[in-house]
Amino acid sequence: MANSPQAKKRARQNERRFAVNKARRSRIRTYLRKVEEAIESGDQAAAQTALREVQPELMRGVTKGLLHKNTVARKMSRLSTRVKSLGA
């Protein structure tokens, strides 16, 4: 239990940050799911569009400290490879 004023403030800030980060993470997952669904359907045009939409969301996750830069690079690489293979 937080007793000192600064500990109480830190607890309030943590709750707020948790809510914001949870919303951001959920938004990113939604965009990723759209790409996955487009890939599953086999529609390359829709998959490319969804991939272009998810990229800025993932990068925003990096700048906000939600995701690591290399994690996002790996996800984008794997997704783009899968979207590219739809055309082959």
Side-chain angles (χ1 to χ4, degrees):
M1 180 64 206
N3 290 322
S4 65
Q6 61 263 42
K8 289 177 182 177
K9 180 179 180 179
R10 179 53 67 191
R12 288 194 308 270
Q13 288 175 333
N14 285 343
E15 286 176 23
R16 230 174 283 134
R17 295 311 316 155
F18 177 76
V20 169
N21 287 336
K22 187 175 179 182
R24 281 200 185 106
R25 204 174 301 116
S26 173
R27 183 178 168 93
I28 290 170
R29 284 188 187 133
T30 301
Y31 277 95
L32 286 171
R33 195 185 70 245
K34 288 179 185 177
V35 177
E36 292 289 340
E37 288 171 355
I39 290 171
E40 291 298 317
S41 71
D43 185 3
Q44 188 180 19
Q48 283 178 333
T49 304
L51 186 65
R52 266 188 244 110
E53 288 175 1
V54 77
Q55 189 172 6
E57 290 298 324
L58 285 170
M59 293 304 165
R60 196 169 296 121
V62 172
T63 59
K64 299 297 182 181
L66 198 61
L67 298 167
H68 193 273
K69 180 176 60 171
N70 291 350
T71 303
V72 170
R74 185 179 64 244
K75 280 184 186 294
M76 281 304 300
S77 174
R78 289 178 181 174
L79 284 174
S80 59
T81 302
R82 289 173 63 198
V83 168
K84 209 176 281 187
S85 70
L86 286 176

